[in-house]
Amino acid sequence: MSIGPVVLSVAGDQFIESARVASIVWVGATTAGDTVSLRGRQATINVLLWKCRTDATHTYLGISFGAHGLPTPDGFRLEQISAGEVLVYLREA
């Protein structure tokens, strides 16, 4: 069962609790070449969770992490976004 979404719209937005991410969806009006990146919050590792670039002006791009989800033990943060919003659906929090 998915929980969410957690909505991230500005670089620096973050979710600070341990969670398993079920899926990530980037939505909104964009320009070709716009980018987004999401990282784990753990400062010592700084794991890149997802990075994407659009080739269109209306974005609906995403990824699903399957039945078990992607673990984010220290939460996650929106590192960079050109436009739109990122919706993060949680498997468990």
Side-chain angles (χ1 to χ4, degrees):
M1 178 167 121
S2 289
I3 302 168
V6 174
V7 179
L8 308 171
S9 58
V10 177
D13 282 355
Q14 58 185 336
F15 184 82
I16 62 172
E17 298 176 28
S18 175
R20 285 191 173 269
V21 175
S23 60
I24 301 169
V25 180
W26 180 20
V27 297
T30 59
T31 302
D34 280 354
T35 58
V36 66
S37 61
L38 191 68
R39 288 196 176 268
R41 287 186 62 247
Q42 190 171 0
T44 56
I45 297 176
N46 200 18
V47 175
L48 178 65
L49 302 176
W50 186 66
K51 185 173 185 174
C52 193
R53 178 186 306 264
T54 186
D55 63 352
T57 57
H58 296 289
T59 297
Y60 187 84
L61 299 169
I63 187 169
S64 176
F65 295 105
H68 299 289
L70 176 68
T72 57
D74 294 317
F76 49 86
R77 66 181 164 81
L78 187 59
E79 179 181 59
Q80 189 277 329
I81 187 166
S82 299
E85 294 180 323
V86 175
L87 310 176
V88 181
Y89 291 87
L90 304 180
R91 178 86 183 137
E92 47 186 67

